[in-house]
Amino acid sequence: MAKPHTPSHTKPNALHIRLAVPADVPRIFDIRTSVHDNHLGLDALAELGITPAAVLEQIEHNANTWVAELEARVQGFAMVDAAEGWLFALFVDPLCAGQGIGSTLLSIAESSLFQHHQCIRLETAVNSPAARFYMRRGWVRSNTAPAKSAPEDAIFTKNAPIPPFAGA
């Protein structure tokens, strides 16, 4: 007699999201420097103050950085500035694009930011795949110009969802 099939709650290739830990910093930089859209090398990131030490500081002192693991390897990450209501970074290994990693990380980042802000913001290049990704998920280009960015960059915003009416 065949043993009945018991469904598993974790699939072998299931996406797992967790808070980043210090050991994730090298992989975060591997992913950040491997992307084609909004590519920056280590030197360019350092000029912006984005260094392994700065990311480590963020991870150790703020619970605002998540990583996405697929097949036991970090394949994407998201960082937010909760105090300011900004989605600071969201990047996925280009070899894993189209698997829902970015959408899942974005949902978690948005939920975190909406706990403290009615309107959240991010900055990216206007005519980029990233901008189209965000706009498909409800983000809107703002009329506010970025402070110190490239001319092709723009600020995008998203308002918190309106809770359903509970009735009287």
Side-chain angles (χ1 to χ4, degrees):
M1 183 168 165
K3 185 176 180 181
H5 175 70
T6 306
S8 172
H9 294 290
T10 52
K11 298 175 187 172
N13 295 331
L15 186 63
H16 175 68
I17 308 295
R18 63 173 171 77
L19 286 171
V21 296
D24 295 322
V25 172
R27 181 66 181 139
I28 286 171
F29 276 86
D30 287 346
I31 292 167
R32 179 62 185 91
T33 58
S34 72
V35 299
H36 306 289
D37 187 28
N38 191 15
H39 174 78
L40 293 174
L42 292 174
D43 291 339
L45 289 168
E47 287 177 20
L48 297 171
I50 304 168
T51 64
V55 171
L56 180 62
E57 174 84 11
Q58 172 74 14
I59 289 170
E60 290 182 332
H61 298 287
N62 300 299
N64 296 322
T65 303
W66 300 269
V67 295
E69 292 179 317
L70 187 63
E71 299 177 1
R73 180 167 166 83
V74 172
Q75 303 292 8
F77 71 95
M79 299 175 79
V80 301
D81 179 339
E84 298 296 323
W86 280 90
L87 173 60
F88 178 73
L90 191 154
F91 293 94
V92 174
D93 185 314
L95 298 174
C96 293
Q99 297 184 41
I101 296 170
S103 295
T104 302
L105 285 166
L106 181 60
S107 178
I108 290 166
E110 288 175 353
S111 293
S112 174
L113 291 171
F114 283 140
Q115 289 179 21
H116 307 285
H117 301 277
Q118 183 64 32
C119 181
I120 58 178
R121 301 169 289 165
L122 65 84
E123 184 177 331
T124 196
V126 175
N127 294 315
S128 67
R132 291 187 292 280
F133 168 83
Y134 293 120
M135 288 187 290
R136 284 191 307 270
R137 286 153 183 84
W139 290 77
V140 178
R141 184 175 175 186
S142 168
N143 291 329
T144 306
K148 303 183 252 180
S149 298
E152 66 272 7
D153 284 356
I155 294 174
F156 291 79
T157 62
K158 186 172 185 179
N159 290 319
I162 298 171
F165 181 68

